[in-house]
Every structure is written in structure tokens, then in C-alpha cells.
């Protein structure tokens, strides 16, 4: 059995819908709140769109400038490829290497410049914790 089957029930349903609609209109604050929010959102959207357009125009301008600079550099490379190279050389000044003869031993006393051997001079292998046998 359907929920609404008689004409009286349909009339009551229509009356309830109209009463609810009228009650909603009566309790509504007048639309100032949503209108203000809509206008604020519209202005914010316009500002973001304008900022995006300005950024896109600046990016396009930079791209055009970069392409122009690239074309200029390609022309310079092509011109330099066919031009003879002119190289002025500075005179060679002879210098003696600086040697410190006052030091004896390695320049770095903290660690030798060569790795430690895996075996000692007598043929025994070093252990993992033989710290006292450093050379």
C-alpha cells in the first residue's frame, strides 16, 4: 500500500509543503549575509584571476626574452666558430717549488699516507683490538 493514496492525503501533503515554504521565507534573514559572502568571494576570485594573469604575462615575457637571448648567443657561437682564435699568452715565469727542509718525517704526523699492513713484520696477523701496536 502506498504512503499517499487518497486525494485528501495529497492535499494535506501539498498544504504541508506550502506551509514549510512560507515558514522558511518568514524565518529567513533577508539574504544580506549570503549576498555579502558572495560579493567577497567574487572579489577574491577576481583578484586571484588578475594575479594569475599578471604572472602568466610576466612568464611569457621572460620566455620571449630568453628565446631572444638564446638566438643572439647562437649567432655569436656561429660567428666565433668561423673567426680565427686570437690568444695572447702571458710570459712564463720560472719558479722553484717551495720545500720545507726543516721538517723531518711525514708532513702529517696524525696518520701516515700509506695504509697499515695487514700482517706484522714477523708474519703474525694483527688482531681487531691491537691498538697498542701502532707504528
Amino acid at each position: 500500500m502506498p504512503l499517499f493514496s487518497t486525494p485528501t492525503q495529497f492535499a494535506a501533503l501539498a498544504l504541508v509543503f506550502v506551509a514549510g515554504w512560507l515558514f522558511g521565507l518568514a524565518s529567513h534573514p533577508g539574504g544580506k549575509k549570503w549576498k555579502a559572502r558572495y560579493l567577497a568571494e567574487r572579489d577574491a576570485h577576481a583578484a586571484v584571476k588578475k594575479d594569475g594573469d599578471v604572472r602568466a604575462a610576466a612568464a611569457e615575457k621572460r620566455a620571449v626574452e630568453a628565446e631572444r637571448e638564446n638566438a643572439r648567443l647562437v649567432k655569436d657561437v656561429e660567428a666565433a666558430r668561423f673567426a680565427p682564435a686570437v690568444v695572447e699568452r702571458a710570459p712564463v715565469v720560472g719558479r722553484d717549488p717551495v720545500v720545507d727542509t726543516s721538517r723531518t718525517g711525514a708532513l702529517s704526523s696524525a696518520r701516515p699516507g700509506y695504509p697499515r699492513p695487514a700482517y706484522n713484520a714477523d708474519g703474525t696477523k694483527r688482531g681487531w683490538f691491537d691498538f697498542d701496536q701502532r707504528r
Side-chain angles (χ1 to χ4, degrees):
M1 178 172 153
L3 190 60
F4 297 102
S5 58
T6 64
T8 307
Q9 290 175 339
F10 280 111
L13 179 65
L15 181 67
V16 168
F17 282 148
V18 169
W21 180 61
L22 290 175
F23 179 73
L25 285 176
S27 65
H28 194 264
K32 292 179 184 177
K33 187 177 182 181
W34 70 265
K35 285 180 185 176
R37 287 183 181 174
Y38 170 74
L39 293 175
E41 183 65 27
R42 186 186 66 183
D43 294 341
H45 178 73
V48 168
K49 183 162 177 53
K50 185 176 180 180
D51 182 49
D53 292 343
V54 167
R55 286 184 184 209
E60 181 68 25
K61 186 177 179 182
R62 284 193 311 269
V64 168
E65 182 62 31
E67 288 174 358
R68 192 176 301 132
E69 180 71 14
N70 189 20
R72 186 188 64 81
L73 291 174
V74 166
K75 285 182 184 178
D76 290 348
V77 167
E78 290 296 326
R81 185 175 293 166
F82 296 114
V86 178
V87 178
E88 294 183 18
R89 297 183 185 251
V92 178
V93 178
R95 287 194 275 167
D96 296 328
V98 178
V99 178
D100 188 9
T101 57
S102 64
R103 291 185 64 116
T104 60
L107 293 177
S108 173
S109 60
R111 175 172 275 193
Y114 52 88
R116 286 180 54 194
Y119 291 93
N120 294 330
D122 60 355
T124 59
K125 187 170 181 178
R126 290 186 303 119
W128 281 98
F129 300 103
D130 291 340
F131 296 120
D132 57 344
Q133 297 179 2
R134 292 191 178 185
R135 295 182 183 141

